[in-house]
Amino acid sequence: MTNEAPLIEVKNLKKYFGEKGGLFQRNVSVVKAVDDVSFQIHRGETFGLVGESGSGKSTIGKSILRLQSITEGEVLFDGKDVHKLSNAEMRNLRPKIQFIFQDPYSSLNPRIRVGDAIGEALLDHGLCEKHEVASKVKEVLEICGLSEYHMNRYPHEFSGGQRQRIGIARAIILQPEFIVADEPVSALDVSIQAQIINLFSKLQRDRNITFLFISHDLSVVEHLCSRIGVLYLGTMMELGSREQLYSNPLHPYTKALLSAVPIPDPTLKRERIILKGDIPNPANPPSGCKFHTRCPFATERCKVEVPEFKEVESGRFVACHLV
Amino acid sequence: MGNTVLDVKNLLTQYYTNGGVIKAVDDVSFSIPKGQTVCLVGESGCGKSAVAMSIMGLIDGGSGGIKNGEILFEGKDLLKLKKHELRQLRGNDISMIFQEPMTSLNPVLTIGGQIMEPLMEHELISKKEAKKRALELIELVGIGRAEEIFNSYPHQLSGGMLQRIMIAIALACSPNLLIADEPTTALDVTIQAQILDLLRSLKEQRDMSMLLITHDLGVVAEVADYVIVMYAGKVIEEGPVVELFKNPKHPYTKGLLKAKPVINQRQEELYTIAGQVPNLATLTPSCYFSERCEQCMAICKEQMPKINDLDNGQRVACWLYEEVTTV
Ligand SMILES: Nc1ncnc2c1ncn2[C@@H]1O[C@H](COP(=O)(O)OP(=O)(O)OP(=O)(O)O)[C@@H](O)[C@H]1O
Ligand SMILES: Nc1ncnc2c1ncn2[C@@H]1O[C@H](COP(=O)(O)OP(=O)(O)O)[C@@H](O)[C@H]1O
Ligand code: SF4
Ligand code: SF4
Ligand SMILES: [Mg+2]
Ligand SMILES: [Mg+2]
């Protein structure tokens, strides 16, 4: 990419959760939700994270924004270690880093008018005067495809797609440099999803915002992201550019994921890799390569030896003994 | 019609909502030939589940009801059957799989017990025989470790396994018709691929008919023989799967196909359908898609188009095609 320093650097990030189990909630086991993950996000790019549910996508997103503590590792924003900032420094950083949720409804107060909900963060962060708020809210509503009259309405009066627009408006009104969007279109119907995807494209073009875009939908990620990381049970299996990953996936898991996506063409005959079995319990992940219990190419070595996450060509990393 | 398993005629199903009475299913007709998979596709709230619930006789009288139509299953009108006759058919000749497997299984009963239940109820076989069949069914849906699964409880299994168990229960009495309402929507893609593969092979082995409900056009392309597209309670287009995908006729179907991002066919900008689905409580006499349609004409605002046959086996409800059918 560029020689410029990356905006986000995630270094050996680990996030473990203590999971209570058993009948009386006393057997404590540890879920390694994120287990030694490293990657960088360059300024102005949209980095995609894909993987099945429970693979650790949301945990990485929240860790980067320090919405939760981390177990080990570093997250650098513009060179500064986010998890080592003082409270005052963090307060300064907050408006620059925003989060967009899958279901914005759960993050909107049902009794607060949408205009106030979008504008309140501006005042909280002291980013503008009270009399300027309304015009700024109006401006972002328009960017997000809503109208001025929507300001006086309550969240329940909006459809799913409109609520997602509100969530986006609330994030961009602060003029952030970086946004984590966690499954922002997954709950939407196709016709509405396309509108919101185009809104993200527009924000990428017009505002030079850097995005971490989290999704389990590989076609949406291909559409919006220039570089992509593939997660499995808290471990990065492959990382590369969109072109590298989609036209020539190297890791068996990436191949299987891509071949599992249904394509809307009934005449297409594809060689399918149908994985056997389920995603293993994250509290008790397989030894060696975590994918070996489902990998069609697994050998004895894979059961015992953890494959190194190595750079196989410029900017492209794969964790597999075969590559 | 010996070859038709299900024939739905002019079905009208209403729900009573705060906003007023809505027609969740509005004059819907379709049929399912023996051994075929028909997919019902459309966006959230268009009435797909309401069709399924109507067929199963599961619309709760307090919140809605079937106001008109016939549902002929192997020639018998389900709407005229007595309660116990319908119960006898359900889970026996017609089975249904729901979107959320966890909510339709009993958490305090073992998996084995729940598979045996319909067998013992409908087939009048001994407990021992039922257990043998249950174990075979668990093997059939590709889980393995049948004994262990037989004795486990729902919370001990993953979403994908539970959905397989739901399929096993649905297949227990060898139904002639399987209704699957979004059977893979809650699952990850790799598990979805397994379940679709399973449904496809079961359908072939057993010459079973299937009504599969989904909002995912990719899933439709993978499993359907015939496709029905719904919008705001109405069927707006239907046809054999290859024709419908190759040559969609209705502006909404065309739009849906263009708006979906497809892997390895990246475009700079996605096609979008403006606006949103209309509120079913405040519909006016017009084409329900007219607010969003780029080709809307004066007549579309005044009158609802009827669904008509085209000469290639497709059917479409749109004023653009009215002359075609009079030729
Ligand atoms: N029990 C109910 N009471 C009142 N209205 C209902 C009820 N169930 C469904 N509806 C309404 O009926 C219409 C059709 O709903 P239905 O559940 O059939 O949609 P669907 O196509 O299955 O959608 P989805 O893709 O979200 O499952 C919607 O407007 C819905 O809000
Ligand atoms: N707050 C939490 N407490 C305990 N376990 C959690 C918590 N958040 C996530 N996990 C676990 O961490 C793993 C990764 O979760 P998550 O990051 O939400 O995955 P994804 O977003 O990829 O679906 C899962 O096994 C999940 O159950
Ligand atoms: S390391 Fe072995 S098990 Fe893991 S992906 Fe490669 S071949 Fe498969
Ligand atoms: S009837 Fe008119 S408004 Fe409706 S889809 Fe056809 S052209 Fe569009
Ligand atoms: Mg998540
Ligand atoms: Mg439904």
Side-chain angles (χ1 to χ4, degrees):
Chain A
M1 266 237 141
T2 58
N3 296 323
E4 210 185 329
L7 183 65
I8 304 288
E9 262 183 283
V10 175
K11 291 185 178 172
N12 307 99
L13 178 66
K14 294 184 184 172
K15 174 65 185 177
Y16 297 172
F17 292 103
E19 188 187 69
K20 290 200 177 65
L23 207 47
F24 300 102
Q25 302 282 300
R26 59 184 171 193
N27 321 343
V28 178
S29 60
V30 170
V31 173
K32 298 182 174 178
V34 181
D35 196 10
D36 201 2
V37 165
S38 302
F39 61 96
Q40 305 179 339
I41 308 178
H42 304 292
R43 269 165 230 275
E45 84 168 334
T46 298
F47 186 91
L49 266 186
V50 300
E52 296 174 278
S53 67
S55 58
K57 305 181 294 295
S58 301
T59 304
I60 291 179
K62 288 181 193 156
S63 302
I64 294 179
L65 296 194
R66 199 172 155 182
L67 297 175
Q68 59 187 193
S69 65
I70 61 177
T71 306
E72 231 181 277
E74 286 178 356
V75 176
L76 306 184
F77 177 87
D78 223 351
K80 289 185 294 285
D81 189 339
V82 175
H83 286 264
K84 295 224 170 77
L85 295 181
S86 69
N87 287 345
E89 289 169 318
M90 202 57 216
R91 219 169 310 124
N92 278 333
L93 182 60
R94 273 281 161 238
K96 295 187 198 147
I97 55 175
Q98 290 293 309
F99 198 86
I100 297 173
F101 296 87
Q102 168 165 359
D103 176 13
Y105 197 62
S106 57
S107 65
L108 288 168
N109 184 331
R111 283 184 299 275
I112 296 186
R113 287 176 214 273
V114 156
D116 297 334
I118 297 172
E120 73 182 349
L122 276 177
L123 294 171
D124 287 353
H125 292 292
L127 292 177
C128 81
E129 298 295 325
K130 207 157 182 169
H131 66 272
E132 299 167 329
V133 174
S135 72
K136 295 223 158 142
V137 170
K138 183 172 161 248
E139 186 191 322
V140 292
L141 280 176
E142 262 157 33
I143 292 169
C144 295
L146 295 166
S147 307
E148 190 174 358
Y149 68 83
H150 288 123
M151 285 170 69
N152 295 319
R153 303 219 171 150
Y154 292 93
H156 75 265
E157 298 173 66
F158 290 88
S159 68
Q162 287 176 321
R163 283 181 206 148
Q164 198 49 279
R165 292 178 192 273
I166 295 167
I168 296 170
R170 210 152 69 131
I172 65 168
I173 198 167
L174 299 171
Q175 310 225 325
E177 290 175 45
F178 177 61
I179 295 179
V180 174
D182 191 359
E183 308 264 13
V185 299
S186 305
L188 306 176
D189 272 315
V190 186
S191 77
I192 307 301
Q193 183 176 305
Q195 296 171 3
I196 302 294
I197 290 173
N198 282 354
L199 174 57
F200 273 105
S201 306
K202 188 172 90 173
L203 296 175
Q204 289 171 341
R205 274 196 313 271
D206 300 351
R207 305 213 139 204
N208 196 36
I209 300 171
T210 306
F211 283 98
L212 175 65
F213 192 91
I214 295 173
S215 177
H216 65 274
D217 185 329
L218 282 103
S219 14
V220 173
V221 166
E222 183 188 22
H223 191 84
L224 283 173
C225 304
S226 51
R227 285 192 314 128
I228 294 134
V230 182
L231 282 172
Y232 188 75
L233 285 175
T235 300
M236 194 77 94
M237 293 286 157
E238 180 160 8
L239 188 160
S241 70
R242 164 171 66 221
E243 291 75 20
Q244 288 169 336
L245 239 82
Y246 283 79
S247 45
N248 181 24
L250 293 177
H251 196 284
Y253 180 60
T254 317
K255 290 183 190 176
L257 262 187
L258 284 170
S259 92
V261 178
I263 294 184
D265 178 358
T267 58
L268 195 72
K269 295 278 167 276
R270 285 195 295 170
E271 270 307 311
R272 258 278 160 78
I273 308 171
I274 293 193
L275 291 180
K276 288 193 297 278
D278 278 307
I279 305 165
N281 179 354
N284 184 19
S287 59
C289 172
K290 284 180 179 168
F291 186 53
H292 87 250
T293 52
R294 301 171 82 199
C295 180
F297 311 106
T299 62
E300 282 306 311
R301 180 182 176 202
C302 305
K303 293 183 190 163
V304 288
E305 199 181 319
V306 180
E308 187 196 342
F309 187 58
K310 56 182 183 285
E311 190 161 16
V312 294
E313 54 189 279
S314 172
R316 178 170 214 190
F317 297 79
V318 182
C320 172
H321 294 308
L322 294 184
V323 183
Chain B
M1 293 262 281
N3 206 23
T4 302
V5 171
L6 186 79
D7 208 352
V8 174
K9 291 185 181 168
N10 308 105
L11 181 66
L12 172 62
T13 304
Q14 296 182 337
Y15 279 117
Y16 320 124
T17 70
N18 291 338
V21 178
I22 58 158
K23 295 175 179 173
V25 181
D26 186 1
D27 197 19
V28 164
S29 303
F30 65 94
S31 58
I32 306 179
K34 186 161 179 49
Q36 298 249 310
T37 298
V38 171
C39 274
L40 208 53
V41 63
E43 297 183 283
S44 188
C46 70
K48 307 181 294 296
S49 298
V51 169
M53 300 302 259
S54 303
I55 298 170
M56 293 301 283
L58 294 175
I59 304 274
D60 159 37
S63 61
I66 296 173
K67 297 298 163 195
N68 191 29
E70 290 172 63
I71 301 176
L72 303 172
F73 174 72
E74 295 176 340
K76 289 184 293 280
D77 189 349
L78 299 183
L79 300 180
K80 297 211 174 89
L81 292 186
K82 303 211 172 60
K83 270 222 167 74
H84 73 271
E85 291 172 315
L86 196 59
R87 205 172 320 124
Q88 182 56 31
L89 272 180
R90 261 203 315 256
N92 194 9
D93 297 307
I94 310 179
S95 291
M96 180 157 170
I97 313 172
F98 298 87
Q99 177 168 345
E100 291 291 338
M102 203 57 191
T103 56
S104 33
L105 284 167
N106 187 335
V108 299
L109 289 183
T110 62
I111 297 295
Q114 301 190 56
I115 305 179
M116 280 161 59
E117 197 182 281
L119 280 170
M120 287 164 47
E121 187 185 332
H122 294 295
E123 313 245 307
L124 306 168
I125 54 176
S126 71
K127 205 164 176 183
K128 193 166 159 234
E129 178 66 12
K131 176 165 184 185
K132 188 170 152 263
R133 292 268 292 276
L135 291 173
E136 283 166 12
L137 283 162
I138 296 174
E139 292 287 341
L140 177 77
V141 295
I143 306 183
R145 296 183 290 134
E147 273 292 342
E148 188 188 328
I149 301 291
F150 185 91
N151 291 312
S152 54
Y153 290 89
H155 74 269
Q156 295 171 307
L157 305 184
S158 69
M161 280 161 123
L162 289 174
Q163 200 54 291
R164 285 165 198 270
I165 295 299
M166 290 308 298
I167 295 173
I169 295 173
L171 293 177
C173 300
S174 309
N176 295 338
L177 174 64
L178 178 67
I179 301 177
D181 190 358
E182 310 257 10
T184 58
T185 305
L187 306 175
D188 278 310
V189 274
T190 62
I191 310 296
Q192 166 168 283
Q194 295 170 354
I195 300 287
L196 293 181
D197 206 45
L198 172 66
L199 287 174
R200 255 191 314 255
S201 65
L202 287 172
K203 175 201 132 189
E204 260 151 49
Q205 284 162 28
R206 305 182 155 223
D207 199 23
M208 185 172 68
S209 310
M210 197 151 70
L211 178 65
L212 191 134
I213 294 173
T214 176
H215 65 277
D216 186 340
L217 290 160
V219 170
V220 175
E222 298 243 327
V223 297
D225 296 305
Y226 193 85
V227 188
I228 298 170
V229 187
M230 285 184 74
Y231 189 79
K234 288 265 177 201
V235 173
I236 54 101
E237 178 161 9
E238 57 177 279
V241 67
V242 174
E243 281 77 11
L244 190 123
F245 276 77
K246 195 168 69 186
N247 202 359
K249 296 285 197 253
H250 196 284
Y252 176 63
T253 319
K254 289 184 187 178
L256 274 188
L257 282 165
K258 276 193 282 178
K260 187 179 163 57
V262 179
I263 235 164
N264 290 331
Q265 296 176 25
R266 188 174 178 275
Q267 300 154 315
E268 274 313 309
E269 183 125 9
L270 288 175
Y271 175 84
T272 58
I273 302 173
Q276 63 200 52
V277 178
N279 180 350
L280 294 188
T282 57
L283 291 172
T284 52
S286 62
C287 167
Y288 296 159
F289 189 60
S290 57
E291 292 288 322
R292 308 176 75 186
C293 182
E294 288 174 353
Q295 287 162 281
C296 179
M297 305 168 285
I299 187 168
C300 310
K301 293 275 181 203
E302 289 156 20
Q303 230 182 314
M304 154 85 58
K306 290 205 171 45
I307 190 153
N308 285 310
D309 290 302
L310 303 182
D311 42 21
N312 64 349
Q314 267 162 275
R315 283 159 63 79
V316 62
C318 169
W319 287 114
L320 291 173
Y321 300 91
E322 281 292 303
E323 309 84 15
V324 182
T325 53
T326 55
V327 174

